[in-house]
Amino acid sequence: KQEVTQIPAALSVPEGENLVLNCSFTDSAIYNLQWFRQDPGKGLTSLLLIQSSQREQTSGRLNASLDKSSGRSTLYIAASQPGDSATYLCAVRVGQAGTALIFGKGTTLSVSS
Amino acid sequence: NAGVTQTPKFRVLKTGQSMTLLCAQDMNHEYMYWYRQDPGMGLRLIHYSVGEGTTAKGEVPDGYNVSRLKKQNFLLGLESAAPSQTSVYFCASSSGGGGSYEQYFGPGTRLTVT
């Protein structure tokens, strides 16, 4: 059974720091991996999606990498800002068309000014 | 383009009452999903649909039923609510058949069962 783990569970950093969030999964046979952001009391916003054939994706200050063979993904946030404070969720899609995502429990990030 | 919308946003039920949560998407997506999010448990799939008129069970389907009569709508029903169904419910949709299957989420419904 696929399991997704995110470490650390919580992270506090001062504004301006570059940081890395980690995601690991137990079964390397994934179709894609998605990173989401969730603000308190809100829904999930998709940040980046990496297909299984890709190694990384970039959007602005965000860069996500994927190493299927080792079952790992990282989300790199450059020059963090207080507005980046949120919970970041990693999820993998493992099945055929239509099957759902399996989520990690998230990393809660707090960026202080 | 509203994306994925959910109604209601909040609801309080008494044990044994029934209700239906509505999810609507305007992106012409084939696939739709219902998840629940609980503290310490993460998001878990309840039911999903790969097209109009089709539904399938997810990881935690007991106590819920679903229907997909129209492509743009996916309904989640609780026939006899229990306190264990207190949760935040999220609907999502994605393209299929050659698309990226990137999932887009609604804002959620906060349900409390007393």
Side-chain angles (χ1 to χ4, degrees):
Chain A
K1 179 183 175 183
Q2 178 75 264
E3 292 184 359
V4 180
T5 302
Q6 292 186 248
I7 294 173
L11 181 64
S12 293
V13 300
E15 183 177 6
E17 245 186 49
N18 302 323
L19 57 100
V20 173
L21 307 181
N22 296 297
C23 172
S24 62
F25 44 96
T26 55
D27 187 342
S28 62
I30 65 170
Y31 280 70
N32 62 36
L33 182 147
Q34 243 178 300
W35 281 94
F36 294 90
R37 168 186 174 135
Q38 185 175 29
D39 293 291
K42 303 294 185 182
L44 280 70
T45 300
S46 180
L47 297 173
L48 291 163
L49 180 144
I50 310 177
Q51 300 291 358
S52 60
S53 58
Q54 297 175 321
R55 296 284 294 184
E56 65 179 311
Q57 283 283 350
T58 298
S59 176
R61 295 183 293 110
L62 306 179
N63 176 277
S65 67
L66 174 63
D67 184 342
K68 270 183 55 175
S69 61
S70 66
R72 292 176 184 272
S73 176
T74 61
L75 179 67
Y76 174 82
I77 303 177
S80 58
Q81 303 170 358
D84 294 330
S85 299
T87 296
Y88 291 81
L89 298 165
C90 164
V92 298
R93 187 170 81 84
V94 300
Q96 293 293 329
T99 54
L101 296 170
I102 297 174
F103 281 83
K105 295 181 181 179
T107 294
T108 299
L109 173 66
S110 176
V111 182
S112 57
S113 56
Chain B
N1 190 335
V4 180
T5 57
Q6 294 182 233
T7 52
K9 290 185 170 53
F10 303 93
R11 186 72 185 268
V12 178
L13 287 179
K14 295 186 186 300
T15 298
Q17 288 184 320
S18 63
M19 77 165 294
T20 300
L21 283 68
L22 171 64
C23 176
Q25 53 93 7
D26 61 4
M27 296 175 281
N28 201 35
H29 283 166
E30 287 294 327
Y31 306 139
M32 297 186 74
Y33 314 83
W34 276 107
Y35 295 87
R36 60 179 289 174
Q37 185 177 36
D38 302 292
M41 299 294 293
L43 279 93
R44 293 177 293 168
L45 180 69
I46 305 171
H47 285 280
Y48 66 98
S49 168
V50 299
E52 183 177 321
T54 73
T55 62
K57 294 180 180 180
E59 181 184 355
V60 288
D62 294 342
Y64 305 95
N65 56 74
V66 288
S67 64
R68 183 107 180 263
L69 299 180
K70 294 182 179 181
K71 184 177 182 179
Q72 63 268 32
N73 295 337
F74 196 27
L75 279 63
L76 178 70
L78 286 74
E79 290 186 346
S80 180
S84 60
Q85 294 177 303
T86 294
S87 188
V88 182
Y89 292 86
F90 289 102
C91 176
S93 70
S94 71
S95 62
S100 70
Y101 301 107
E102 182 173 5
Q103 290 197 14
Y104 297 85
F105 280 74
T109 294
R110 292 184 175 277
L111 175 66
T112 301
V113 182
T114 61

